[in-house]
Amino acid sequence: MSIPTPASCRVSPEAGTMSNGTGHYEKRLSDLAGLYADQTAFAALLAEGDRVVYDVTEFRPSEKAGDVIFGVTRMSPGRIGDEFFLTRGHIHAKSDRPEIYYGQKGTGLMQLESPDGETRIVEIGPQTICYVPPYWIHRTVNIGDEDLVMVFCYPADSGQDYGIIERSGGMRHRVVAVDDGWTLTDNTSYVPRPPEVAAALVGNAV
């Protein structure tokens, strides 16, 4: 019987990188089309170049139950109109799986939404641990003026459902800039999930 091999990965908070990763991907501005309210501002910024908004380096030893996947996310600062740069967001395909984020650099928010539409915000900064409980949809928002760098870790068999946000017309609230801070505003395109859909998400336990 073979067992997994121990490994070590070194994180650079300044560069937002991790050594010895098994995979890397990036999301550019064009990948985030449709997420922002101000489509004119989005098109104007995209015309200046399809910049990288965030990138992820991960260590994925397996996708078996009992294992974990971990890595580093680096998010650029920026805005589309009044909205800050953000990630696409997701719920885990096995929705009873949690996730941990550990802030390394910068200032950000974890925007969370329950299946029935409750919004919670957790602030993330250096040396801050954010716990995302099971069943919560979540996305990261960079509200600072420098890169936001976070370490993440979640059960290897979690999977991701990115379509859950799109199917509801976005998350219930938008994070927008106000004065020197941020606030939440209603997303007028939001469509609440039917009660049976919300119940099915909470019932999705293994």
Side-chain angles (χ1 to χ4, degrees), residues 96-109:
D96 64 337
R97 299 320 196 235
E99 190 161 359
I100 292 290
Y101 291 84
Y102 182 30
Q104 301 289 293
K105 176 188 176 185
T107 307
L109 306 174

Side-chain angles (χ1 to χ4, degrees), residues 53-74:
V53 176
Y54 62 96
D55 58 83
V56 175
T57 304
E58 64 178 11
F59 187 89
R60 186 182 291 258
S62 78
E63 296 185 1
K64 297 178 180 178
D67 212 337
V68 296
I69 295 169
F70 63 89
V72 169
T73 298
R74 183 211 59 81

Side-chain angles (χ1 to χ4, degrees), residues 36 75-76 78 83-87 107-112 121-122 124 138-144 148 150 171 173-176 182 184:
Y36 295 95
M75 290 191 65
S76 300
E83 292 181 80
F84 300 97
F85 277 3
L86 46 75
T87 61
T107 307
L109 306 174
M110 188 63 63
Q111 181 181 1
L112 301 105
I121 299 292
V122 176
I124 299 178
H138 50 286
R139 74 161 29 132
T140 308
V141 185
N142 186 349
I143 61 171
L148 174 64
M150 304 173 298
M171 297 184 79
H173 295 99
R174 297 183 182 274
V175 179
V176 299
W182 60 274
L184 294 177

Side-chain angles (χ1 to χ4, degrees), residues 1-185:
M1 174 182 177
S2 62
I3 62 175
T5 303
S8 174
C9 300
R10 184 174 296 276
V11 174
S12 169
E14 287 304 314
T17 58
M18 184 184 76
S19 69
N20 203 29
T22 62
H24 177 85
Y25 65 88
E26 59 186 26
K27 293 298 179 183
R28 294 181 175 272
L29 195 58
S30 59
D31 296 316
L32 306 181
L35 299 186
Y36 295 95
D38 192 336
Q39 291 300 301
T40 300
F42 180 87
L45 187 60
L46 183 59
E48 297 177 8
D50 196 11
R51 60 187 293 183
V52 175
V53 176
Y54 62 96
D55 58 83
V56 175
T57 304
E58 64 178 11
F59 187 89
R60 186 182 291 258
S62 78
E63 296 185 1
K64 297 178 180 178
D67 212 337
V68 296
I69 295 169
F70 63 89
V72 169
T73 298
R74 183 211 59 81
M75 290 191 65
S76 300
R79 295 184 191 176
I80 304 293
D82 291 333
E83 292 181 80
F84 300 97
F85 277 3
L86 46 75
T87 61
R88 291 172 62 198
H90 63 274
I91 193 171
H92 290 146
K94 293 187 176 180
S95 58
D96 64 337
R97 299 320 196 235
E99 190 161 359
I100 292 290
Y101 291 84
Y102 182 30
Q104 301 289 293
K105 176 188 176 185
T107 307
L109 306 174
M110 188 63 63
Q111 181 181 1
L112 301 105
E113 181 176 301
S114 67
D116 61 2
E118 178 187 357
T119 296
R120 295 286 185 98
I121 299 292
V122 176
E123 297 185 0
I124 299 178
Q127 312 306 306
T128 302
I129 297 175
C130 169
Y131 168 59
V132 177
Y135 311 114
W136 287 80
I137 303 159
H138 50 286
R139 74 161 29 132
T140 308
V141 185
N142 186 349
I143 61 171
D145 55 7
E146 63 177 340
D147 283 351
L148 174 64
V149 179
M150 304 173 298
V151 171
F152 62 84
C153 182
Y154 60 92
D157 65 342
S158 299
Q160 284 87 22
D161 176 359
Y162 293 100
I164 190 169
I165 294 174
E166 181 180 359
R167 292 191 293 271
S168 288
M171 297 184 79
R172 184 175 180 177
H173 295 99
R174 297 183 182 274
V175 179
V176 299
V178 57
D179 299 325
D180 293 328
W182 60 274
T183 190
L184 294 177
T185 61

